[in-house]
Every structure is written in C-alpha cells, then in structure tokens.
Amino acid sequence: MKDQQLQDKVVGDRMNRVDGRLKVTGAAKYSAEYELPGLVHGALVGSTIAKGRITSLDTKAAERAPGVLAVITHLNSPKVPGFAAKSNPDEPPAIGQPLRVFHDEKVYFNDQPIALVVANTLEQARYAARLVKAQYAADEHRTDFEANKQRGFLPTQAKRNPKSAQNDYDRGQKNGYQTAPVKLEAEYVHTSEMHNPMELQSIIAHWEAPDRLTVYDKVQAVKGTQRAFAKDWGLPEENVKVIATFVGGAFGNGLHNWPHETAAIIAAKKLNRPVKLVLTREQMFTMVGYRPYTWQRIGMGATKDGKLVGITHESVGQTSSYEEFTESTLQQTRMMYTSPNVSTRYRILGLDISTPIWMRGPGEATGAFALESAMDEMAHLLNLDPMEFRLRNYTDVDPDNNKPWSTKFLKECYQLGAERIGWNKRQMKPGSLRDGDWFVGYGMGVGTFGANRGTAKARAVLQADGTVVLQSATTDIGPGTGTVMVQIAADALGMPPEKIRFELGNSTFPTAPSQGGSATVNTVGSAVLEACTALKGKLQQLGGAAFASAKPEDLTLAGGQLSLASNAGTKVSLADLRKQNNGQDIDVTVEAKPGNERQKYSMYSFSVHFAEVRVHAMTGEVRVSKMVSCADAGTIVNHKTAGSQMIGGAVGGIGMALTEGAVMDHRFGRYVTKDLADYHVPVHADAPAIEVAFVDKPDFIVDPLGTKGIGEIAIIGVAPAIANAIFNATGKRIRELPITPDKLMA
Amino acid sequence: MNQFQYLRPTKQQAAIEALARTPNAQFIAGGTNLLDLMKRGVLEPPRLIDINRLPLGKIERDNGRLRIGALALNGAVAEDKQVLERQPLLAQALNAGASAQLRNMATVGGNMLQRTRCSYFYDTAMPCNKREPGSGCGALEGYNRMHAIFGFSDKCIAVHPSDMSVALVALDATVLISGPKGDRRLPFADLHRLPGDTPQKDTNLEPGELITAVEIPDGPFTKNVHYLKVRERASYAFALVSVAAALSLDGNTIKDARLAMGGVAHKPWRLAEAEKSLIGKPATEATFRQAADIAMQGAKAFKHNSYKLRMAPNSIIQALKNAASVA
C-alpha cells in the first residue's frame, strides 16, 4: 500500500510500462530485428557425439547449396586473438576455458557448434546446415550425473580462496543434527531446467571497420559483453559497441557470452558482411546454459518442542568438463533459521555436457527446494504446523555472522500470506481434504536472496525542450527497468514522468553492471537518483542567487522553467538556464556506489509462497489451484511491474515444481527432450489465480531508495511450497523435481 | 528444410495423380505436423501437394451417418452443432488436443495421419526404425516414458499421438479413401497398424491414396460419454494416457459401451473385451474396475513407463465414472 504522505510521489504508483505500447504493437526492436545493408544469415551445425574429436568434415554439399556464401569450421575459421589466452577473466563464476568455437577439432558436448553455414537467406542457411557431414573419433563420454556424483569436487575458486562461501562450513558442531532427539535425513534431486525465454538467443554481428565491431546481441550485460569481445579480438573497448535495447526474457542465460555469438562475429569478419544468427529452439537446450542438475542431502535435527538443533546440507551441482560453474545453493541454510549447528558442503561435478548458467533464483531456488522441503518434513515429524515450526526458529540476527539485518519483515509476510491463502483450512493430517476426485493440500516455502547493490553510472541531460533524458548501460530483460527509472527520476526531479526518458541497453552509455542478481533497481536506481540530484544541483547553480539557499526537494521543473514549490514566484526559464550554460544541454554524469554498510549489516530480501494444490486421486495429475506470494523487498517502486515480476516468478516456480526437467539419453549423451513439445513449460491453464502482497517497507541501509530486490525471491521457495502442498494433499513426499504424475502413481 | 515443389490443385483427381507421380511427395493440409518434421529434417519431400483447395471440408449428416470431410478443421468440428448433438465424445477428444491455434489450422485428415511424437523419431542423429528402417529403436533401451504398453514390437515402441483417433476408433468410424485405383472404405480401426517389422508404415493406406472423409454411424452415445486425457500440464501436451468412454444406460444398467485408449500403442487402442464385460452390468465402480482389469491384460511396460500400468486402468475407471456420472 502506498504511504499517505507519498501521495504526490510517482514512486509507488502502478504506472504503466513506458515501453508497453512499443512492445504490444511490435515496434520494439529485438536483436534479430535490425535491418542492415548486406545482411546475411547463419545456421549452426551441432556435433552428434558428446566427447571426442572431429576427424573429417565434409562441407562440399553445403557449399554447393543454393545461396550459401561460406561454411565456417575449425579448419578455415579466422583466428580469434583472445583464444590464445588461457582463460577469460570476464567470467568470474566459471573457472576454466569458455568454449572456443571453431578453435580446434575437440568436442566437449553433444550439439557443440562445429560449423556455421552462412547464406543469403535463413532458409538456405538452415537447409545447407543439414548437409554438413562430420566424422568423429569418439571418446567414452560421461554425462550421467547419478552414476558419477561421487566424483563431485570442491570448486577451484574455493580451493584458491579460503574466504570463498563455497568452502566447507561448520557452525557449532559438525553434523550436530545427529545429536538431536528428532532427526531426518533426506536426498533431493533437481533435474536440469532449460532456458527457454520467448525470444530465442540471437545476434547480428557487424564489423563497421576492420577494428570496429558492433553487435546487436541478446545479452543481460552490454558492458560485460563489450569487454569480452574487445578482449577476444584485441580491440580497445570503445571499438566494440553492444546494443540490447530490448530483451525478450532472459532469466540468466544472457549473463554469459556463448559460442554462437563468437561464431557470428567470426563469420562477419570472414565475409566482411553483417551476419545474423538466431538459434533454433532445439539449440536453446544445448548452447546457452541451463539450471544445473543438482543432488542435495539434508540432515536435520530438532528438539521435540520444535527448536532446530542442527542442519547439514550437502549439494553436488553439475557443470561442464571445461568450465567450473558454481552458484549459491547453500547460503540460505546458514542464515535462515536459528540453529546452533550448521554444516554445509558444496561440490560440483564436471560432465561432458555444455556449461550451465544461472537461471532465475538461481542456486538459491535449487537449495530452497531441499531446505524448505526438509523444514516441512521435520514439522510433520514433530506434528507442528509448518509455519509455527518456522516461527519457533525465526532469527532476528543473521546467525551466520551475528550481524543485524538491515531490515527483515518476514513475519509480516507469513501473516499476509497465511490470511490470503486460508492457511487455517490446512489439515495437519495429509490426505484429509478432498474436493470430489481431487485431494486438496496446502504448503508453504520461504525464499531469501541477498539485497545486493553494485556500482553504476548514470547520465542525466536536460534538453532544450524541457525534457530529461537519462542513460545507463543496464538492460531490461522484462521487469520494467525503464519504467521504474523514470518513476525514480520523476520524484527526484519534481517533474512529470512524461517529460523523462530513460535509455539503456547500449554499451556507449555510462557503465552499469549486468541485469542480474535482483540488483538493478538498487544499483542503477541509486545512480539515477544521484544523477537527478546532481542535475538539480547544477540547475540551482545556474539559477543564481534566487535559488542558492533552496533545498533540492523544493526545486521543481515544469512548464519550461525551474521554480520553487514553496514559492512559485521564484522562477527562471529553461532558456535562461541554458544561456548560463553556454547554450548547451545541461548534462551530468555520476557514479553511485555502496558504502561500508555491508560490514555492519546483513542484507536480504525475503519472500514466502503459499500454494493450494489439487492432486487427482486416480491419475496423479497435479493442478495448482491458488498461490499467494508475499515479499519483503523494501520499497516497491511500481506495484504493477513488481507484482507482475512476482507472478512471473510463481509461474516459473510451477514449471520447476511440476513440469520442467530435461532428460538425456546417456548412451548418446544427447538430450531427448529438446523442444517445447517434449519439455513442458507451464501454459496459461497451469497458472492459477496468483495473489501478490508486498510489505513495502523501505530499507535505506541497502540503498537510498529503500529497495531490496524482487527478481529472485519471486521464484525461490515456490517449488517447495508446491511439493509440500502435494505432501499435505496426498501423504506422498516426492523429492525429485519435477513432480510429474508418473512419480505420484509409483 | 529442403527445397520442394509446391502444387495447389483444385481437383481431387489431379491431387492424387500429382502424388503418385513423385516418390516421397506429400499432401499438405494444415501442416501443423508436417512442417515441424520438415524443419527438423525428418521428412524431406521433394513435392508438396496442398489440398486445401479441394472441396473436402463439409460436415453433413446423411443416411444415419455423420460425414466429416477430411479438410474440416479440428476446431470447427469440435464446435459443430451436429457433432455436439450426435457425437459429443468426438468433440471432447478434439478439444483435448493441441491448442486453440493448432486446432484452427489442423484438419481431420491430417490429425489422424500425424506421426508419432517419439523423441528418437524427431532427432535425425538418433536411431529410429520408423524414420530410418534398420537403424534400431532408440526408445527400446532408451527413454521410454511416453511409450507403448500394448502391441509394440522390438522394432518400435512408439505411440500414436492423436486424441481424435481414440474417439473415432471407439465410435466405429469408417475412413473414406480415394486413390489411383478408385475409392474405398476402410474401418477406422484398420487405418492404423501395429509396428511389427515395418514401423515406417503408420497406416494401411496404399501409395497415392487420399483420405477424403470420415463417417461415424449414429449411435446411442449422445449423453454418457467422457474423454479423459492425463497429462502433466493442463493443456497443450500429448497424453500420458487417454481414455474415450461411451455408455448407453438404461437406468443404471449398461446397455452398450465403447472404450478405447490413447497413449498406449502404435494405434488408437480399442478395448473390445472390456466393452463386452460392461454390457448388462450396473454402472458401478466395481463393474468399471473389472473392465479395466480386462483391458489391461497383456500390457507390458518398459523402464520408464511402468506407471502406465496403474495410470491406464485408473483412467479407464475414472473415464467410465465420469461418463456414467457416478460419484
């Protein structure tokens, strides 16, 4: 709810998306939609073995096919200067060597790009791609996680850095849960979930000069991509321009630069023409990352009156043979509940499969499935209401480091959600509620994610027409970044939002981090706020003596003039301000960065998800009939876009819980589910009424806007809420996602 | 996909002749399956004969039979007044299939001729006897969660994916066929075949033959019918198991019954023995359970589809209960 005192503020409004009209009318331009003179089309050929060497490549038929301009392989690819380097420091999560496309004859995973056919039309390229024939010397591959999980190892970054959170962790007594009067031990499996945003991964690569590269690329980090390609090609960063004005969903898969991007750049170099490369839906399953297969084991102990004695949480996550992908699967187990003894063990397992990447939530969502399922299992053992069990172990300081929370309103979330779902209808005894042929059950799951803030720059320009343009090199993968930035600026400048434009997705704009880790509003919003404050300061200066003693919030910009809210008579026209500024646009760029608050406080967003499910007594089908998601995410800048973000997270969580899971045939090391007919994302009919409630209390320790971040907590905790509800409905505890009817029939 | 010649005849005879002239040529109507197969390189027809201009879209009742033209759209058939009145089971089955967009493109003829959705059939880098005879069955020792429990061979364990076909086989439909050797009628139950040693052949159609219509005789199954489709999401998914159930009741006594299953065999799976066991019995769960036991005789599961041995009989019981409105 909007604070009464903020009635005249734009922050908090349910403002419509500033780019909504562009998106629904098709006017918004996505990476593959730029028309450049001489543009040609690429199609990738994938390997059909999982490990080994290419011994020969027959490209003749493809080269002769109509419209084909080139077939690029490791045999004829222009050398990428950066490929000589051993590793790519722009990839902090993945120690190792990102796949060097067309670098040599080695095959590291099935469907690895081994050739790129470039032709005048997309159809010609795709047809000719089918004509490329490869011979291999196959090595024995290892793709079966379950058969190899004992080979899990401590990530190199943990070995190198004793302070890394990936290291083994023991608080209190190691495996202290074993001493508790009530114990449980359980294993949980998360099957790989594949990135399938609506927009396929696509790039147009254009060498505007031999040393100047422009890419229209579907990425979440325009500056990171600029750095990566500049390094690959030995160019000054400013010679590489990355455009990602609109991104049609990404969920994390745009946080890494993938082989297809470099393949397109290589082809554009070789042909000296702009090359467009759009992956096929099938290639989305093998070439651009996924939420990795993860095995987890939890040991949990409690007293009979429901106080946690200890939690041991181990996990093994899948990675590739050539890069070490890691994520934060276990952190929440260290900080969510008071437990004197906590042990965590994090391992990764390299397989002959492509490298995973973060998928919304990322590791925290995987970890929460195990932790929050185990909490439900323990509550059942103790014959306690699962919410009551969580409340008995609620903690007002971070037990991991004994720091106070910057803010924590999780109890408020519990209350809001319990009321709205009708938690009082939940029966303690599983299988007690029925609606005709369907069992009905209720479940909850908690989510948390670090309230992160990074460093970002923003530029604010007051133009001659009295409008303000803001720029920052962030991206908007869907949450409505441009919209909330305009709202923040409108309040900061005392201007109507219609007079403000926010531009993003361009590497020539002031530096900002990738859109990821729920940190964009905290980071870029703070920079926008500071840029607007700086712009006002400059106007105040230019306005002269009449404004010298005014407070910034008293300054308003409207009707082509600067005036005082408290005294409308004090005013100066924009034209005069410009005259004072040598006739130039009034232009400021600032850098905003966090202070030392992280040393004093522990900062997290929190959420709780409640699910009501129906499980068919005869067929095992599961339908989520209602969901309520409540979040403590600090200030809510826009209740409409934030609400949509929460709903999107809940739908993603339904997929994680019930339908999404990639299956591989390990004889071939090749996925058998690799299109949207075999790999099921939820459809509209799977998404019930989803209610969202925000606590909406600011956290000014995290950042001056009071925001904490929403993107991840929208999904973290959803899957266990549904799994717990299924248990409550049926008495069946399914510990392997997705929970499909076959598992409930077993 | 490959380059192909595209013809759009307006005369049925011309279409049939055009197909006969070119080996591996294909008719195309809605294209909702064929285009996928071409894009994936599973099929590379050198010639496509678009039959959408042929006058085969009518739905009419004649002489105690409902005749549905092969080009009638799935969506239109499901909403047709006569279909809803006379053969509501067919409407239910159609609406259980695909999505509204696909139902508005897909035709009745194309629906019954759609190819299996077995992942091995779709991936040209995997073995599949149906796609490439002699290459082996990938699913047999591979991932076979969606696969057959009846009527399979060691050459192929794929299932026929159509929902509509399950209703048509239950309703004793007849397929009207036109070909180079003239017209013929084929019981719908004989249209699809079991894989045996030649899984590349889905149907008993002869080369060059065109399905022109399907006929369903009027029957007593206008009220107590149910098409049950079990799947892991609420819409737009192929059946794990489906059941078409139709009952003719006199009070609580079953006078006549039709029962068929989808998602269990290489063809829509009519359950004649189970039907017989229902006749003359009271419409109770015990009766239905007995029919389900009979229906499941001979079922055999593979590594990943043993759940079907429970899901299938449960679904039969549930579908019959829903058809009879037994609580």
Side-chain angles (χ1 to χ4, degrees):
Chain A
M1 281 289 111
K2 209 173 132 178
D3 196 307
Q4 282 299 319
Q5 291 175 329
L6 295 176
Q7 275 301 335
D8 56 341
K9 299 274 187 190
V10 181
V11 165
D13 275 356
R14 297 176 59 84
M15 198 173 103
N16 285 335
R17 286 173 190 260
V18 293
D19 49 8
R21 190 183 180 85
L22 291 177
K23 286 185 173 175
V24 299
T25 57
K29 249 188 199 180
Y30 294 82
S31 306
E33 298 183 314
Y34 288 83
E35 286 168 24
L36 303 181
L39 182 128
V40 291
H41 300 263
L44 282 169
V45 181
S47 71
T48 56
I49 62 161
K51 190 181 183 185
R53 285 179 304 115
I54 302 164
T55 53
S56 74
L57 267 169
D58 181 357
T59 58
K60 282 193 202 76
E63 280 157 2
R64 279 199 300 265
V68 171
L69 302 166
V71 180
I72 298 164
T73 72
H74 69 281
L75 298 170
N76 64 357
S77 170
K79 290 298 160 208
V80 180
F83 279 2
K86 268 193 176 167
S87 70
N88 186 344
D90 289 312
E91 310 286 344
I95 289 185
Q97 172 63 66
L99 187 86
R100 294 174 290 186
V101 68
F102 309 147
H103 184 64
D104 56 28
E105 75 287 0
K106 289 197 184 111
V107 174
Y108 298 91
F109 60 90
N110 216 315
D111 208 27
Q112 172 183 320
I114 57 167
L116 177 70
V117 176
V118 187
N120 287 319
T121 70
L122 175 67
E123 291 76 12
Q124 289 168 335
R126 290 218 167 142
Y127 171 66
R130 301 198 55 79
L131 303 177
V132 174
K133 301 290 171 215
Q135 302 291 322
Y136 304 95
D139 293 336
E140 197 179 321
H141 60 262
R142 212 178 260 156
T143 58
D144 187 350
F145 185 100
E146 287 300 327
N148 289 286
K149 69 172 179 260
Q150 74 288 351
R151 296 173 186 269
F153 58 88
L154 190 66
T156 306
Q157 69 179 56
K159 287 181 200 149
R160 284 185 193 160
N161 174 13
K163 286 188 179 162
S164 161
Q166 311 290 8
N167 274 300
D168 293 358
Y169 173 89
D170 291 298
R171 180 165 87 228
Q173 196 185 334
K174 179 180 166 184
N175 294 330
Y177 78 92
Q178 289 169 344
T179 64
V182 184
K183 288 192 286 278
L184 75 85
E185 290 175 344
E187 295 182 12
Y188 302 87
V189 170
H190 172 272
T191 312
S192 292
E193 254 189 292
M194 311 318 264
H195 272 296
N196 272 297
M198 194 181 290
E199 184 194 14
L200 296 160
Q201 222 73 15
S202 44
I203 180 170
I204 295 172
H206 183 203
W207 288 91
E208 305 205 33
D211 64 346
R212 235 156 31 86
L213 172 68
T214 295
V215 293
Y216 305 83
D217 197 2
K218 185 196 167 164
V219 294
Q220 288 171 253
V222 287
K223 294 301 286 186
T225 300
Q226 179 190 42
R227 278 193 297 275
F229 293 156
K231 187 169 174 297
D232 275 353
W233 295 94
L235 298 172
E237 281 178 20
E238 60 273 20
N239 285 26
V240 177
K241 187 168 160 187
V242 181
I243 310 288
T245 311
F246 289 96
V247 175
F251 306 99
N253 77 336
L255 289 169
H256 192 301
N257 293 115
W258 300 105
H260 74 274
E261 296 169 75
T262 295
I265 297 169
I266 286 173
K269 184 97 191 160
K270 191 174 170 78
L271 289 163
N272 198 23
R273 290 176 78 165
V275 172
K276 183 198 287 193
L277 179 55
V278 181
L279 293 191
T280 64
R281 184 57 71 181
E282 294 77 36
Q283 289 168 339
M284 295 293 290
F285 287 79
T286 52
M287 297 187 187
V288 290
Y290 52 92
R291 190 198 301 281
Y293 193 109
T294 302
W295 168 90
Q296 298 176 77
R297 181 186 165 282
I298 287 199
M300 185 178 278
T303 63
K304 286 188 175 146
D305 61 349
K307 294 291 280 180
L308 280 168
V309 173
I311 310 174
T312 292
H313 191 168
E314 303 164 52
S315 82
V316 183
Q318 176 181 311
T319 186
S320 65
S321 64
Y322 52 94
E323 276 174 295
E324 291 188 16
F325 172 78
T326 66
E327 54 186 352
S328 182
T329 311
L330 306 175
Q331 178 57 24
Q332 61 213 309
T333 302
R334 301 179 186 174
M335 50 62 73
M336 185 62 93
Y337 302 107
T338 75
S339 176
N341 305 297
V342 171
S343 300
T344 65
R345 298 288 182 273
Y346 181 77
R347 300 289 182 270
I348 53 176
L349 172 63
L351 295 172
D352 299 314
I353 308 179
S354 60
T355 306
I357 194 61
W358 297 289
M359 180 186 282
R360 192 176 195 179
E364 286 81 347
T366 311
F369 167 59
L371 177 64
E372 292 297 308
S373 291
M375 287 298 285
D376 197 73
E377 297 199 44
M378 180 56 88
H380 180 71
L381 281 180
L382 296 166
N383 199 31
L384 268 179
D385 178 284
M387 187 158 74
E388 173 59 24
F389 177 49
R390 286 176 174 88
L391 286 168
R392 287 189 192 182
N393 295 283
Y394 196 86
T395 173
D396 289 316
V397 295
D398 183 344
D400 183 21
N401 51 26
N402 291 316
K403 287 178 195 169
W405 308 110
S406 55
T407 55
K408 180 180 180 182
F409 300 105
L410 181 55
K411 270 185 190 161
E412 287 80 348
C413 291
Y414 287 168
Q415 272 166 3
L416 275 171
E419 260 169 48
R420 292 183 183 209
I421 196 79
W423 190 247
N424 55 2
K425 285 181 280 184
R426 181 184 182 277
Q427 304 295 305
M428 286 296 286
K429 191 171 175 294
S432 326
L433 272 183
R434 241 178 124 146
D435 175 9
D437 295 321
W438 300 81
F439 289 108
V440 180
Y442 294 87
M444 66 181 289
V446 182
T448 186
F449 195 82
N452 298 315
R453 180 184 170 191
T455 300
K457 288 182 182 171
R459 177 184 182 199
V461 185
L462 177 59
Q463 304 186 115
D465 64 358
T467 62
V468 169
V469 176
L470 292 146
Q471 291 178 331
S472 184
T474 183
T475 56
D476 183 354
I477 60 173
T481 303
T483 308
V484 298
M485 295 305 161
V486 166
Q487 290 179 276
I488 291 164
D491 281 357
L493 293 168
M495 274 177 75
E498 304 77 50
K499 299 280 184 190
I500 302 168
R501 197 167 79 237
F502 181 80
E503 297 179 342
L504 46 59
N506 186 319
S507 62
T508 63
F509 295 163
T511 302
S514 61
Q515 180 155 70
S518 302
T520 300
V521 175
N522 306 354
T523 304
V524 180
S526 298
V528 164
L529 183 68
E530 286 194 25
C532 292
T533 307
L535 182 67
K536 268 190 160 181
K538 186 142 187 199
L539 293 172
Q540 194 168 8
Q541 264 177 17
L542 295 168
F547 295 90
S549 60
K551 291 184 175 164
E553 59 270 25
D554 200 21
L555 297 166
T556 61
L557 268 173
Q561 56 190 19
L562 181 71
S563 59
L564 292 182
S566 59
N567 178 7
T570 307
K571 56 189 176 189
V572 56
S573 75
L574 185 52
D576 286 343
L577 289 169
R578 285 175 64 88
K579 229 178 266 168
Q580 288 297 313
N581 199 42
N582 303 321
Q584 301 293 308
D585 284 347
I586 298 150
D587 187 339
V588 298
T589 299
V590 303
E591 180 178 80
K593 54 173 97 176
N596 65 349
E597 54 275 358
R598 200 157 292 274
Q599 289 160 26
K600 293 181 263 179
Y601 296 94
S602 200
M603 299 183 238
Y604 288 91
S605 285
F606 295 93
S607 64
V608 57
H609 307 277
F610 290 89
E612 178 193 88
V613 306
R614 281 165 160 69
V615 182
H616 198 280
M618 296 289 275
T619 66
E621 286 169 290
V622 180
R623 301 287 177 256
V624 180
S625 44
K626 188 176 178 185
M627 274 200 67
V628 177
S629 291
C630 303
D632 161 24
T635 302
I636 301 305
V637 180
N638 184 327
H639 279 267
K640 190 175 195 174
T641 54
S644 297
Q645 219 180 336
M646 290 294 291
I647 290 169
V651 175
I654 291 172
M656 182 177 177
L658 299 180
T659 63
E660 295 184 55
V663 180
M664 182 171 270
D665 185 329
H666 297 298
R667 294 172 303 167
F668 308 105
R670 199 166 166 88
Y671 285 111
V672 285
T673 53
K674 49 174 170 262
D675 59 34
L676 294 178
D678 286 334
Y679 180 91
H680 289 166
V681 296
V683 296
H684 282 303
D686 294 303
I690 300 168
E691 278 186 40
V692 176
F694 292 110
V695 176
D696 198 8
K697 290 191 179 165
D699 184 332
F700 292 118
I701 294 168
V702 172
D703 68 58
L705 297 159
T707 58
K708 294 208 286 186
I710 294 173
E712 322 302 325
I713 56 163
I715 189 171
I716 302 168
V718 175
I722 292 168
N724 295 339
I726 290 170
F727 175 77
N728 184 240
T730 63
K732 289 182 181 171
R733 175 67 64 182
I734 310 296
R735 300 186 183 88
E736 183 186 344
L737 298 180
I739 304 173
T740 44
D742 49 330
K743 290 176 186 160
L744 286 161
M745 295 304 292
Chain B
M1 62 178 71
N2 59 304
Q3 291 215 0
F4 54 84
Q5 191 190 22
Y6 176 73
L7 303 179
R8 200 160 51 168
T10 51
K11 296 272 189 315
Q12 189 169 305
Q13 204 48 41
I16 290 165
E17 280 165 16
L19 190 83
R21 275 200 304 273
T22 309
N24 301 319
Q26 292 265 345
F27 291 128
I28 183 166
T32 56
N33 187 205
L34 182 58
L35 282 182
D36 278 349
L37 292 164
M38 289 174 69
K39 285 192 222 168
R40 297 280 283 266
V42 176
L43 293 178
E44 298 191 318
R47 170 183 280 184
L48 288 186
I49 299 139
D50 184 334
I51 55 171
N52 285 300
R53 290 190 171 182
L54 305 186
L56 299 174
K58 270 198 214 137
I59 305 170
E60 54 198 347
R61 203 165 146 269
D62 171 37
N63 205 10
R65 288 183 296 216
L66 192 62
R67 183 184 301 132
I68 302 170
L71 290 175
L73 298 178
N74 287 195
V77 178
E79 285 171 14
D80 182 86
K81 202 163 155 271
Q82 296 185 89
V83 172
L84 287 166
E85 214 170 89
R86 301 270 167 189
Q87 305 297 352
L89 182 64
L90 176 62
Q92 285 185 24
L94 281 165
N95 279 328
S99 66
Q101 295 89 330
L102 287 166
R103 293 195 293 271
N104 286 337
M105 277 303 286
T107 63
V108 164
N111 185 325
M112 63 183 77
L113 293 180
Q114 64 182 300
R115 310 298 305 271
T116 183
R117 302 288 164 157
C118 175
S119 316
Y120 296 91
F121 178 66
Y122 269 76
D123 184 347
T124 55
M126 299 269 219
C128 171
N129 286 323
K130 186 181 279 299
R131 190 187 64 245
E132 199 183 330
S135 61
C137 173
L140 192 63
E141 303 287 331
Y143 183 62
N144 43 39
R145 175 171 175 263
M146 299 296 291
H147 290 73
I149 52 173
F150 291 109
F152 49 81
S153 73
D154 62 355
K155 299 285 190 296
C156 180
I157 63 170
V159 297
H160 174 67
S162 162
D163 292 300
M164 181 195 75
S165 293
V166 182
L168 287 177
V169 79
L171 295 168
D172 283 331
T174 299
V175 187
L176 275 59
I177 298 166
S178 192
K181 294 176 195 160
D183 297 348
R184 66 175 179 130
R185 299 168 64 87
L186 184 67
F188 190 82
D190 295 334
L191 174 64
H192 300 94
R193 54 188 297 286
L194 293 178
D197 287 335
T198 50
Q200 66 272 28
K201 266 181 74 91
D202 287 355
T203 69
N204 289 313
L205 287 180
E206 297 296 331
E209 284 191 322
L210 173 73
I211 292 177
T212 56
V214 62
E215 277 185 3
I216 312 169
D218 287 354
F221 308 109
T222 55
K223 187 164 156 261
N224 292 110
V225 300
H226 191 78
Y227 188 76
L228 179 77
K229 183 174 183 182
V230 184
R231 43 189 163 174
E232 62 221 8
R233 63 180 174 188
S235 174
Y236 198 30
F238 292 99
L240 298 170
V241 163
S242 70
V243 178
L247 295 173
S248 167
L249 295 176
D250 182 3
N252 195 40
T253 304
I254 301 169
K255 282 175 64 189
D256 202 355
R258 295 284 186 278
L259 205 53
M261 268 197 285
V264 295
H266 195 263
K267 59 187 285 185
W269 197 246
R270 179 83 180 257
L271 302 165
E273 294 302 312
E275 287 172 6
K276 275 186 216 154
S277 81
L278 291 164
I279 294 166
K281 304 257 178 59
T284 62
E285 182 160 343
T287 302
F288 301 154
R289 190 167 294 279
Q290 193 191 15
D293 286 346
I294 293 168
M296 292 304 292
Q297 282 171 12
K300 184 180 166 297
F302 295 91
K303 188 173 176 191
H304 302 105
N305 69 350
S306 57
Y307 71 94
K308 289 191 180 182
L309 300 181
R310 279 195 66 202
M311 186 182 280
N314 277 6
S315 301
I316 291 171
I317 296 164
Q318 186 67 44
L320 286 166
K321 279 168 72 174
N322 291 357
S325 302
V326 175

